[in-house]
Amino acid sequence: TCQHVSSLDLKNLCFVHLSRFLLFFSLQTFEKLLIANRGEIACRVIKTCKKMGIKTVAIHSDVDANAVHVKMADEAVCVGPAPTSKSYLNMDAIMEVIKKTRAQAVHPGYGFLSENKEFARRLASEGVTFIGPDTHAIQAMGDKIESKLLAKNAKVNTIPGFDGVVKDADEAVRIAREIGYPVMIKASAGGGGKGMRIAWDDEETREGFRFSSQEAASSFGDDRLLIEKFIDNPRHIEIQVLADKHGNALWLNERECSIQRRNQKVVEEAPSTFLDPETRRAMGEQAVALAKAVKYSSAGTVEFLVDSSKNFYFLEMNTRLQVEHPVTECITGLDLVQEMIRVAKGYPLRHKQADIPINGWAVECRVYAEDPYKSFGLPSIGKLSQYQEPLHVPSVRVDSGIQQGSDISIYYDPMISKLITYGSNRAEALKRMEEALDNYVIRGVAHNISLLREVIIHPRFVQGDISTKFLPEVYPDGFKGHKLTDLERRELLATAASLYVAEQLRSQRFLGTPRIPIAKSKQSSWELSVRLGDGIYPVAVSKDGSSFSVEVDGMKLNVTSEWNLASPLLSVTIDGTQRTIQRLSRNASGDTSIQFLGTVYKLQILTKVAAELSKYMPEKAAEDTSSILRSPMPGAVVAVSVKPGDMVSEGQEICVIEAMKMQNSMIAAKTGKVSYLGSLKTICNLSNRIEFKKEKRRILCCSP
């Protein structure tokens, strides 16, 4: 940070930091704070606490004993086994830890107990400060039914819908018909996309009621649902608010959160390209009016749906810190966790509405352990065999709670990190995000970097032409990865061929010395055959110093690099264009996987002679899995809908898999008869085939 500054500038900089340091300690807050959460948000809170001189206590489940947040905290205590109901949602165990460690305050992060009024009440009864609003505001805003009524009374625009609790599937259908399809079925106490379903007809309403209530009970311990009109093709724009215990409240501008899958946000940015100053002010003032109506104190978020005419409707208020809060911090310069702690201690806000700027642009991508080629992201589990964050890229922030060697399990959210980039304008922030995604090394689990990169470079996104339906509209047949242009295909082929030759040359040397000192002069040209997809391409490579001249499709490309083959990242310049690639795997048969422009491509590189002989190699026949029910993701089997002897038709539900707190219906791929079933006590293992825990055999077979 201090490179290329004068000694006077350095003294001034040090004085500023010293002043801030003294300020933190002059404002007494808490001596010890417990974080009732895990992962990246726990780490995020700990960082601010360290800055403020507050000691921290981490809680963890038994499988999280070696987690990063556990190592970062001053103290750490296990609160139970892996299932959230027995650990991170176990209020009795957490209260015991608070007493044992004498923590004076609790920061709940988001999710888990962050919007649980009973938890806040129990803390208050023990004289422990809850870093968040009081129980009245949590109950009022955490319940979507009550919050909607309060919003109406506070003159906040609301969505038409049913303002009561839906009792059963039959009532859900009746209400949906009265409102008019499509409708949104969602958990009354929900958030984060859990317990939400869109229904376009009676059948989808019944199914949505069942799955939403199950997800709501699993995630929040509350299966109550409500139904409201679904606004087709809207934007999801939210207003960050900050309020104290003295009646002061601010709106900290907006966040655009329209890029979603399964009602969960994937890419967020601040500010929004869509809002004009007048609409921004109107949304902000309504958000503050709602906060004041419930005497809100702390950081919170009021979410709106905005139609194409800039009409906006209240969606819900989250009485906690949001996952996407870093983009607001980037453009305002505020530390929201610090502000929450100050408010909880009773200090008034330090800022006025006129003091809140929009300084630059920030973009956040949620990096998940997911396979984006399956429904835009089905969970993946495993161990992070290699992990390297792109912190060397300028203006990049990574909020994560994992490290190399960490396990991504089925018990918790599959988020790996939040990747944030900042720029003086949107184009700069997006360009840095593109570079950061290319330089992000994640090995051992599937991840969604390819999808994230495609979204931020898509012309519609770049132009700001987005809505919550962006992904299904842009990829109606599902995400297939980056589609190479002819030039990009040639660049990939040339890079892969150069990498192959560089590796061949390295293998001929031993500690910088040729393996056979009396060998003849080195080979300087190579004729290769490269298979990419369904195409086979002849490629000629010749070496010129540290560069390679590669002929592809009758065109010559110059490929230059340091060729550090031990590095997970390789910077390559192709005819003056710089690319960052990652080689993920290779074998003796010439098969190699290269991450290029965010997408992983499988190639086979052979010499011309080997390619001519390869046609004599027998091909392995693919396994016939048409009669096997195979789960697309790891998870737990929570329900089986058939029994031996049942006839099932194509598309019929066979069982329900719960993965990362989401319910997923598994359906039959063909018409047939169920031959046999195993015990309901089943899991999906790493190979994604549903098997017995002990017997290790298929639980479902369909005979035609």
Side-chain angles (χ1 to χ4, degrees), residues 218-253:
S218 174
S219 297
F220 314 110
D222 185 343
D223 64 356
R224 294 177 303 145
L225 302 177
L226 67 141
I227 300 178
E228 61 189 19
K229 181 69 176 177
F230 175 65
I231 299 177
D232 198 15
N233 215 38
R235 286 175 178 260
H236 186 136
I237 300 177
E238 60 192 27
I239 301 291
Q240 175 72 59
V241 296
L242 183 63
D244 62 22
K245 299 179 185 295
H246 305 278
N248 304 306
L250 305 171
W251 49 276
L252 309 181
N253 304 311

Side-chain angles (χ1 to χ4, degrees), residues 110-293:
Y110 45 72
F112 293 140
L113 298 171
S114 62
E115 295 176 286
N116 189 299
K117 63 181 183 295
E118 175 63 19
F119 184 55
R121 186 196 63 77
R122 290 185 63 172
L123 289 175
S125 67
E126 296 292 335
V128 178
T129 302
F130 180 73
I131 309 297
D134 60 26
T135 54
H136 166 70
I138 294 174
Q139 175 167 345
M141 292 294 97
D143 188 308
K144 289 184 175 64
I145 298 170
E146 186 176 352
S147 67
K148 188 173 180 180
L149 294 174
L150 284 166
K152 284 183 178 180
N153 293 333
K155 309 300 183 186
V156 178
N157 305 340
T158 58
I159 302 172
F162 178 68
D163 295 330
V165 177
V166 184
K167 297 177 182 178
D168 53 37
D170 290 336
E171 185 178 35
V173 170
R174 179 183 61 78
I175 294 170
R177 288 176 178 174
E178 291 176 357
I179 296 173
Y181 288 109
V183 297
M184 172 70 81
I185 303 170
K186 58 185 181 181
S188 175
K194 304 295 191 302
M196 295 178 67
R197 288 290 192 282
I198 300 169
W200 296 80
D201 54 38
D202 291 355
E203 183 180 349
E204 290 185 0
T205 298
R206 293 182 184 279
E207 185 180 78
F209 180 89
R210 179 163 67 99
F211 284 128
S212 291
S213 59
Q214 289 173 353
E215 288 175 5
S218 174
S219 297
F220 314 110
D222 185 343
D223 64 356
R224 294 177 303 145
L225 302 177
L226 67 141
I227 300 178
E228 61 189 19
K229 181 69 176 177
F230 175 65
I231 299 177
D232 198 15
N233 215 38
R235 286 175 178 260
H236 186 136
I237 300 177
E238 60 192 27
I239 301 291
Q240 175 72 59
V241 296
L242 183 63
D244 62 22
K245 299 179 185 295
H246 305 278
N248 304 306
L250 305 171
W251 49 276
L252 309 181
N253 304 311
E254 80 280 5
R255 295 186 289 257
E256 173 77 68
C257 307
S258 298
I259 307 300
Q260 303 180 2
R261 53 98 180 92
R262 297 193 300 278
N263 300 310
Q264 286 186 316
K265 304 160 190 172
V266 179
V267 179
E268 302 103 348
E269 60 183 311
S272 169
T273 61
F274 190 61
L275 296 191
D276 53 61
E278 291 75 21
T279 307
R280 176 180 294 115
R281 185 181 304 107
M283 293 176 70
E285 289 174 352
Q286 286 197 16
V288 166
L290 180 60
K292 289 184 175 182

Side-chain angles (χ1 to χ4, degrees), residues 365-380:
C365 285
R366 299 192 188 188
V367 181
Y368 282 104
E370 292 180 338
D371 184 349
Y373 301 97
K374 297 177 180 177
S375 300
F376 300 112
L378 290 184
S380 170

